[in-house]
């Protein structure tokens, strides 16, 4: 059986695309209607899910993440902006939580943390090392109650999700209406770096990065699924050392983010 599947644009629900480039024997195309960049045909869901479950967090990767100061600085930057957007805190779900670094930090800041991740080793580490409520599986297997979470975060997860429609519908179901906040951060498919480097952009992994969203296409996808209040965040560059060179790079990043040209985009929705 072939491991590749052909799809329509997940926003427009039709195939009106043209080729952008090939990489790793896979094609990245762009929808001529909504401008979403996506892989088509792509590796099928069953193949990807098996890889995430068994091999995504080998022991050396877990140790590297756990001890990396940049990892913790990045988690803190994300949490700081979330708390500006949602200052009341409450029950937090991290979808694709990995080994639990963001949840561990959020608990120290007064949130009630919950997580889910398909990786057996990643979720086991979060449970054993940080004593977190993390389930191994997907959002559907968790079967959370409706209107249960005050905030749901997905950091570099949505680009991996094969079936976007049921996935986003489920997130909306378990998020509190009106007061809940959904946070999604993904690589920016229309960043300055991606435009210059094209197939050589480091975030182009067509095997498992299935979509390359933009500040235009991601809000459009969320509104399609009933999220009405959609705003763009301002992700910041972080560093363990603060010096003049870093200050210049941080200012340059802020300018790119202002014009939706930064390396990543972060969206808040409710």
């Amino acid at each position: 059986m072939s491991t590749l599947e052909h799809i329509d644009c997940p926003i427009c629900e039709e195939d009106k695309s043209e080729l952008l480039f090939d990489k790793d024997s896979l094609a990245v195309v762009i929808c001529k209607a909504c401008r979403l960049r996506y892989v088509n045909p792509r590796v099928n869901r069953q193949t990807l899910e098996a890889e995430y479950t068994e091999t995504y967090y080998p022991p050396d990767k877990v140790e590297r993440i756990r001890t990396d100061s940049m990892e913790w600085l990045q988690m803190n930057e994300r949490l700081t902006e979330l708390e500006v957007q949602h200052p009341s805190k409450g029950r937090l779900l991290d979808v694709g939580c990995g080994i639990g670094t963001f949840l561990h930090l959020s608990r120290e800041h007064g949130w009630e943390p919950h997580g889910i991740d398909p990786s057996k080793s990643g979720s086991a580490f979060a449970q054993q090392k940080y004593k977190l409520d993390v389930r191994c599986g997907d959002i559907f297997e968790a079967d959370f109650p409706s209107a249960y979470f005050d905030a749901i975060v997905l950091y570099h997860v949505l680009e991996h999700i094969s079936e976007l429609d049921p996935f986003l519908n489920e997130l909306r179901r378990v998020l509190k209406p009106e007061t809940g906040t959904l946070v999604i951060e993904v690589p920016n498919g229309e960043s300055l770096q991606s435009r210059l480097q094209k197939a050589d952009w480091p975030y182009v992994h067509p095997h498992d990065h299935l979509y390359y969203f933009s500040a235009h296409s991601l809000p459009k996808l969320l509104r399609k699924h009933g999220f009405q209040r959609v705003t763009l965040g301002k992700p910041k560059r972080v560093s363990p050392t603060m010096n003049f060179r870093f200050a210049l790079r941080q200012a340059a990043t802020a300018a790119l983010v202002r014009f939706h040209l930064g390396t990543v985009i972060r969206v808040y929705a409710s």
Side-chain angles (χ1 to χ4, degrees):
M1 185 178 69
S2 173
T3 60
L4 296 183
E5 60 184 11
H6 189 281
I7 66 165
D8 291 336
C9 170
I11 297 177
C12 301
E13 298 183 359
E14 56 185 348
D15 184 8
K16 292 184 177 179
S17 64
E18 60 185 14
L19 178 68
L20 282 177
F21 52 78
D22 293 305
K23 185 172 183 181
D24 301 334
S25 301
L26 293 167
V28 176
V29 302
I30 184 168
C31 175
K32 290 185 283 187
C34 71
R35 311 300 292 173
L36 174 67
R37 293 160 168 80
Y38 60 101
V39 181
N40 198 28
R42 67 187 188 184
V43 176
N44 66 34
R45 178 174 58 85
Q46 293 79 7
T47 301
L48 286 177
E49 287 180 354
E51 293 173 359
Y52 295 143
T53 300
E54 301 296 338
T55 63
Y56 204 70
Y57 284 100
D60 60 328
K61 183 176 180 179
V62 170
E63 185 63 16
R64 186 171 66 251
I65 293 172
R66 184 184 71 84
T67 59
D68 184 1
S69 61
M70 285 291 289
E71 169 77 9
W72 293 97
L73 287 169
Q74 187 69 71
M75 297 303 111
N76 189 70
E77 185 274 331
R78 290 169 176 168
L79 184 60
T80 298
E81 188 173 78
L82 169 60
E83 292 181 343
V84 171
Q85 297 281 338
H86 196 108
S88 59
K89 301 183 182 179
R91 191 178 289 127
L92 169 70
L93 175 65
D94 187 350
V95 180
C97 65
I99 67 170
T101 49
F102 185 80
L103 289 174
H104 178 65
L105 187 62
S106 70
R107 180 171 57 193
E108 294 181 343
H109 283 241
W111 292 83
E112 179 189 320
H114 303 266
I116 187 162
D117 197 280
S119 167
K120 294 177 181 178
S121 56
S123 56
F125 185 91
Q127 294 162 1
Q128 296 163 14
K129 176 65 177 180
Y130 298 130
K131 310 302 180 187
L132 289 164
D133 175 25
V134 169
R135 308 182 190 188
C136 182
D138 64 31
I139 189 71
F140 304 101
E141 293 169 327
D143 195 25
F144 293 114
S146 296
Y148 190 63
F149 292 103
D150 297 281
I152 301 175
V153 301
L154 299 89
Y155 295 114
H156 294 258
V157 170
L158 196 66
E159 67 269 28
H160 296 266
I161 302 299
S162 296
E163 306 298 332
L164 288 174
D165 284 355
F167 180 80
L168 289 168
N169 288 338
E170 181 67 2
L171 293 184
R172 186 171 177 232
R173 183 187 71 81
V174 302
L175 183 67
K176 289 183 179 179
E178 303 299 328
T179 61
T181 299
L182 173 68
V183 189
I184 297 177
E185 180 179 297
V186 291
N188 181 4
E190 292 188 356
S191 67
L192 178 62
Q193 188 179 9
S194 71
R195 295 182 187 199
L196 294 174
Q197 294 181 303
K198 296 182 173 61
D200 294 327
W201 185 41
Y203 279 110
V204 176
H205 305 147
H207 179 84
D208 61 340
H209 284 192
L210 307 179
Y211 319 96
Y212 301 90
F213 296 104
S214 70
H216 170 75
S217 61
L218 182 52
K220 189 168 186 176
L221 175 67
L222 293 175
R223 291 189 182 102
K224 173 187 172 184
H225 289 277
F227 294 96
Q228 298 301 319
R229 295 191 295 273
V230 181
T231 59
L232 290 166
K234 297 179 180 178
K236 298 178 180 178
R237 181 183 289 272
V238 298
S239 173
T241 57
M242 302 296 291
N243 53 37
F244 181 70
R245 182 179 179 183
F246 170 70
L248 288 176
R249 296 180 69 187
Q250 190 177 55
T253 296
L256 290 173
V257 168
R258 190 176 307 118
F259 293 101
H260 312 314
L261 295 172
T263 304
V264 301
I265 49 175
R266 189 180 298 159
V267 170
Y268 293 85
S270 59

